[in-house]
Amino acid sequence: MSPITIRPRIQIAILVICFAVFLLIGTTYFNADVIAKRDWFGIILGVTIVPASLWGIWRALGLGIRIDDNGIRIRSQIDSRQRFIPWSQVESVECAAVDARAGITIHAPVLHFRDGTAPLPITGIGSYSIKAAEATTERLRALLTPPRETTVEG
């Protein structure tokens, strides 16, 4: 099986735009006037904002899940590290309402584990559209269940 990557494209685009705005704001502190006047507050602010916004853009571009023969690698939040879940631990995948933002329900795939640990919602690939969330969940279910070989009797 070749690796499959599912990304929350709208969320990534919004985050990249927000961090790019901060990057532009941070670079404005590096003009000749701020440096010539030795405005230390402006210089320190620029030195802080520029790397932080570059880090945010880098992390936003990496959001999503990667699925391969070994399992699922989840990176669904800007501030968290990735998490790897082997297929042997996953019992089932279902679509459920996992959160609500601005009064609108977010649906996402939820992993249920064989050892009885708490289910894990994959909110990073969630959607306001239940149809889109169901489609993503079906893709995960299809990957969880290996295809059966068919034999032709002749």
Side-chain angles (χ1 to χ4, degrees):
M1 162 183 176
S2 60
I4 298 170
T5 303
I6 303 172
R7 298 192 183 278
R9 289 189 173 93
I10 294 172
Q11 181 183 7
I12 290 171
I14 291 170
L15 287 170
V16 167
I17 289 169
C18 289
F19 284 119
V21 167
F22 280 108
L23 180 65
L24 291 173
I25 291 170
T27 56
T28 61
Y29 287 105
F30 293 117
N31 61 31
D33 191 38
V34 171
I35 295 171
K37 290 183 180 178
R38 295 192 181 183
D39 179 10
W40 292 110
F41 178 76
I43 293 170
I44 291 171
L45 197 59
V47 167
T48 304
I49 290 176
V50 169
S53 30
L54 289 173
W55 177 84
I57 290 171
W58 176 70
R59 292 292 290 191
L61 291 173
L63 290 177
I65 64 170
R66 184 173 172 87
I67 304 162
D68 59 16
D69 289 334
N70 300 323
I72 303 172
R73 191 169 307 279
I74 302 170
R75 189 154 149 210
S76 61
Q77 295 179 353
I78 292 285
D79 61 347
S80 69
R81 295 181 184 232
Q82 60 187 357
R83 180 174 178 188
F84 178 73
I85 301 165
W87 285 118
S88 60
Q89 292 181 0
V90 179
E91 181 177 340
S92 65
V93 182
E94 74 174 36
C95 185
V98 295
D99 198 1
R101 293 184 191 141
I104 304 172
T105 304
I106 297 174
H107 302 276
V110 178
L111 302 178
H112 294 274
F113 300 105
R114 296 183 194 280
D115 62 1
T117 58
L120 175 67
I122 308 174
T123 57
I125 56 172
S127 175
Y128 292 113
S129 165
I130 193 165
K131 288 182 181 181
E134 281 289 345
T136 303
T137 303
E138 285 302 318
R139 286 178 70 186
L140 287 174
R141 278 189 197 130
L143 294 168
L144 179 63
T145 309
R148 295 181 183 163
E149 292 184 26
T150 57
T151 58
V152 178
E153 293 181 23

